[in-house]
Amino acid sequence: MNKKGHVLNAALLSIGLGYLLEPAGNAETFRTMFAIGVPVTLGALFPDVDTAFGKHRKTLHNLPILVGFVVFPSVFGNLEYVWIGILTHYVLDIAGSKRGIALFYPLLKKEYGLPIGVPVSSKRADIVTVAVTVGEVALVALVVYEVPQWGFELGRQALGI
């Protein structure tokens, strides 16, 4: 995907996450959207910095970079949501574009992608971006709302309640 697609994905994802985390629809919901939106958008743009150096879709499009940004907040106490932007960038490049990314670079140079992607310059790129984003928000909603219920039910069954 191109920069426009990654920004669109980050903006829509931030709106969805904001409502999932603060569903009241009041000022706190919008504060949450903004608090998530800025770092997620920065994270969504970060992997494409490798167009200025290194190998695009390899140097900054891999799991070691993502792990670094997941661990960063626990070490330095900031940038809590940047990893979400990076992860969604990867998902969009894997699911939304034909080329894919080199997830295991520098160990493996092979690029991984799904066959449902479109070329970056396609007229359908925005539609694919929105579809991938809807899937991401649905997955997060499932994790936020359903996984705790499943755990609760398993606990009740284990206790025989």
Side-chain angles (χ1 to χ4, degrees):
M1 288 292 129
N2 56 26
K3 288 177 194 142
K4 175 186 162 197
H6 289 298
V7 171
L8 175 63
N9 176 257
L12 294 175
L13 186 63
S14 299
I15 291 168
L17 292 176
Y19 270 109
L20 286 172
L21 296 175
E22 192 61 52
N26 57 16
E28 189 61 25
T29 303
F30 292 102
R31 192 201 71 70
T32 302
M33 285 179 195
F34 188 73
I36 292 171
V38 172
V40 167
T41 302
L42 291 172
L45 293 172
F46 176 76
D48 283 341
V49 171
D50 68 7
T51 58
F53 69 92
K55 297 179 180 182
H56 184 54
R57 296 212 178 175
K58 287 183 175 56
T59 305
L60 297 177
H61 286 72
N62 55 64
L63 293 177
I65 294 294
L66 179 60
V67 168
F69 276 93
V70 168
V71 172
F72 192 92
S74 65
V75 175
F76 295 101
N78 61 358
L79 302 177
E80 286 84 4
Y81 300 111
V82 173
W83 71 269
I84 296 171
I86 293 171
L87 177 62
T88 195
H89 183 111
Y90 292 3
V91 169
L92 197 56
D93 280 354
I94 289 170
S97 70
K98 279 199 173 286
R99 183 173 165 195
I101 63 173
L103 281 173
F104 302 103
Y105 187 82
L107 299 175
L108 298 172
K109 294 180 182 179
K110 179 181 178 0
E111 294 180 352
Y112 298 89
L114 297 177
I116 60 173
V118 298
V120 174
S121 60
S122 171
K123 292 178 183 177
R124 295 179 293 159
D126 288 344
I127 293 168
V128 171
T129 298
V130 171
V132 169
T133 306
V134 167
E136 291 170 335
V137 172
L139 182 62
V140 170
L142 184 69
V143 169
V144 168
Y145 293 114
E146 292 301 321
V147 170
Q149 293 301 320
W150 294 337
F152 180 69
E153 280 299 315
L154 285 174
R156 283 183 39 185
Q157 289 173 2
L159 294 173
I161 300 174

